[in-house]
Amino acid sequence: MHPTDLTPFSPPGTDEYAAACAAFQLAAPVDPAGAFTARSVGDVVRAVATARRAGLPLRVHTTGHGMGRAAPVAGALLLRPLIDAPVRVDPVARTARIPAGKRWSDVLPAAVAHGLTAAHGSSATVGAVGYLLNGGISFYGRRFGVAANLVRSITLVTAAGEVVVASAAAHPDLFWALRGGGGGFGVVVEVEVALVPMHRVVTGMAVWDAAGAATAGPAWQRWAETAPREVTTSLRLLNVPPLPTVPPALAGRRILVLDGAVAAETPADVERAEKVTAEMLAALPEPEFSTWAPAGPETLPLTHMDPAEPIPFRSDTLLLRSLPEAGWAALLDAAGRSELLSVELRQLGGAFAEPAPDGGAFQRVGAPLLYWACGLPGERTEADLAAVRAALAPYATGFTAPTFADHFGQPQRTYDEAARARVERVRRDVDPGGLFAGDVAAIRDR
Ligand SMILES: Cc1cc2nc3c(=O)[nH]c(=O)nc-3n(C[C@H](O)[C@H](O)[C@H](O)COP(=O)(O)OP(=O)(O)OC[C@H]3O[C@@H](n4cnc5c(N)ncnc54)[C@H](O)[C@@H]3O)c2cc1C
């Protein structure tokens, strides 16, 4: 091969290059030296060999939801594994084999058909592999913990071009590091994950005018701290754009929204889930309206109203201790002055907080609250995010949940010193030449 022959990667300006570079996060430049969509494990092996021979770094993405998290891709080769194989559910073992490139929207119908579901996040357009490799914070998380703890095996192509299946039984150190270790271990081509029984979920949203947040926010936190673990919620201040697609009652308004899920794993659990929902709403001021009601688990990804189409955004995140009165006042003041589209607190605790003996590098979140906010890219958003961060800084734990870190420039810290050293040791063993070094997310220790 000629040293500049980058086959099977396509050069800039071609349709193949554009298709392989397509990313949900439009604010991050996607300008690699060549790009390739791999449809098979053989394609991935070929791509790894080319990158190694050309001496170019190899980067991996599937949907590009987290495109801003790792270093810019300029100068690297970009591989997009969209493996041409179906999601395979084993209803007896309660597992799903998910080929790289599948989104949660590809997994859910196959699982729900058997009375099962996956510990997916708020959006069904997120890629299952990228979510699970980075931990995964689900609306089922207070019941089942960090989603990566449900992973049973991971098949990847290493920098040496070998196909390796990592599990508790084989390559256990690599299996540990892959689950939340921050990327840069190889190209994952399949993940096997445990599914959970789910008959119905009680889900929906309760809406208040943002002016009610000073009362509703602290009341939600008081309820959240002792809530049963089958419920996981999100409280958001939303700046609703005045768009024709938005219901007129909400368009152009600042509102407070409570959404999430109460899990009803069996038919016998539905009544209790409705009671838990009623108790949650009774602990809060009367909302303008509430749509919380029992529904099929396949509808849960609609609850949070995440955008389905690619958008440019800038965001920030922190894990927080419980907010005292002064913390709520500072948060609501900074958020209220901002033009941020969303300022969110996710309810953690429950199984999120518990150690998982067989878990990976990121297996639990000790903090009770996860903060995430976003806006359109620009100076105003940078200033708004900085103001909210400053308001919350006294309550930050100093750690971050990896899936919510969207920006390479933002310092992140996911694990303690011992875990960080172990992750780096595994990474050196599996990729001694640093072929995938650019894929290491900014979730390094500070
Ligand atoms: C609208 C929206 C809603 C979200 N909701 C949630 C939520 O509720 N809970 C939550 O935890 N997170 C949530 N996220 C964050 C999301 O889970 C992470 O950004 C996740 O990493 C995206 O994975 P992806 O494969 O879709 O994205 P990509 O950008 O394609 O991948 C992200 C990273 O994963 C790695 N990766 C992906 N595929 C492979 C592969 N085949 N082999 C090796 N490495 C790979 C790479 O390091 C890549 O940089 C949300 C994000 C958005 C934009």
Side-chain angles (χ1 to χ4, degrees):
M1 183 175 91
H2 187 273
T4 54
D5 179 4
L6 296 178
T7 310
F9 292 88
S10 298
T14 59
D15 288 350
E16 291 78 10
Y17 178 95
C21 289
F24 180 87
Q25 165 58 289
L26 297 177
V30 190
D31 49 358
F36 174 52
T37 304
R39 299 285 176 184
S40 67
V41 178
D43 278 356
V44 172
V45 172
R46 254 185 337 134
V48 168
T50 298
R52 228 182 30 237
R53 278 197 297 262
L56 289 174
L58 185 56
R59 303 293 302 278
V60 191
H61 85 127
T62 48
T63 72
H65 277 75
M67 185 48 95
R69 187 178 310 135
V73 295
L77 294 172
L78 183 65
L79 179 62
R80 185 176 195 199
L82 299 185
I83 304 298
D84 204 359
V87 174
R88 284 166 293 146
V89 169
D90 180 335
V92 177
R94 292 182 171 171
T95 56
R97 288 189 170 273
I98 308 173
K102 299 296 183 207
R103 300 165 188 262
W104 287 118
S105 52
D106 300 310
V107 179
L108 284 187
V112 169
H114 299 285
L116 303 167
T117 195
H120 59 84
S122 61
S123 164
T125 66
V126 162
V129 171
Y131 171 90
L132 291 168
L133 291 179
N134 289 281
I137 304 292
S138 169
F139 281 136
Y140 299 121
R142 283 169 43 79
R143 170 74 179 87
F144 299 107
V146 169
N149 294 339
L150 295 167
V151 173
R152 293 293 168 258
S153 70
I154 297 175
T155 308
L156 75 160
V157 177
T158 65
E162 286 167 6
V163 181
V164 169
V165 182
S167 68
H171 308 283
D173 250 17
L174 178 58
F175 185 53
W176 174 86
L178 279 164
R179 291 172 295 156
F185 303 100
V187 186
V188 171
V189 290
E190 184 181 272
V191 170
E192 181 192 8
V193 68
L195 300 172
V196 295
M198 199 57 61
H199 174 66
R200 304 283 275 171
V201 289
V202 182
T203 183
M205 59 177 179
V207 174
W208 299 260
D209 190 87
T215 314
W220 170 77
Q221 181 177 267
R222 277 193 298 279
W223 163 82
E225 282 170 352
T226 57
R229 58 176 54 204
E230 61 261 46
V231 57
T232 307
T233 58
S234 147
L235 189 73
R236 282 180 298 171
L237 278 164
L238 293 182
N239 226 333
V240 186
L243 296 174
T245 47
V246 175
L250 301 180
R253 286 183 61 195
R254 283 172 186 260
I255 54 172
L256 181 73
V257 176
L258 172 68
D259 62 47
V262 191
E265 291 164 46
T266 68
D269 296 330
V270 175
E271 198 179 318
R272 174 167 159 83
E274 287 183 291
K275 186 163 169 272
V276 167
T277 309
E279 285 167 356
M280 171 182 77
L281 293 173
L284 300 168
E286 182 78 20
E288 274 182 27
F289 67 89
S290 166
T291 64
W292 282 80
E298 70 284 358
T299 65
L300 182 54
L302 304 174
T303 294
H304 206 58
M305 299 179 298
D306 283 323
E309 296 303 319
I311 48 159
F313 62 96
R314 263 288 281 126
S315 72
D316 194 14
T317 187
L318 295 165
L319 288 171
L320 300 174
R321 292 192 291 274
S322 197
L323 293 181
E325 207 176 307
W328 279 102
L331 168 64
L332 297 178
D333 180 54
R337 291 168 192 270
S338 83
E339 289 180 6
L340 295 171
L341 296 172
S342 172
V343 176
E344 172 173 10
L345 293 176
R346 288 236 184 156
Q347 179 189 8
L348 301 177
F352 276 127
E354 288 165 2
D358 303 323
F362 180 72
Q363 57 172 255
R364 66 181 287 269
V365 203
L369 296 171
L370 184 154
Y371 155 74
W372 192 80
C374 71
L376 295 172
E379 280 176 26
R380 176 65 203 251
T381 290
E382 298 297 332
D384 287 343
L385 291 174
V388 179
R389 178 172 266 261
L392 291 174
Y395 318 105
T397 62
F399 289 87
T400 316
T403 40
F404 281 82
D406 285 325
H407 192 244
F408 186 64
Q410 187 71 61
Q412 307 292 341
R413 186 174 181 213
T414 302
Y415 18 63
D416 62 21
E417 180 55 31
R420 186 182 69 84
R422 186 174 166 194
V423 164
E424 287 184 0
R425 202 169 54 242
V426 174
R427 199 180 274 124
R428 269 197 310 274
D429 285 350
V430 74
D431 183 19
L435 186 70
F436 298 106
D439 248 6
V440 180
I443 56 172
R444 61 198 178 270
D445 213 348
R446 282 197 261 217

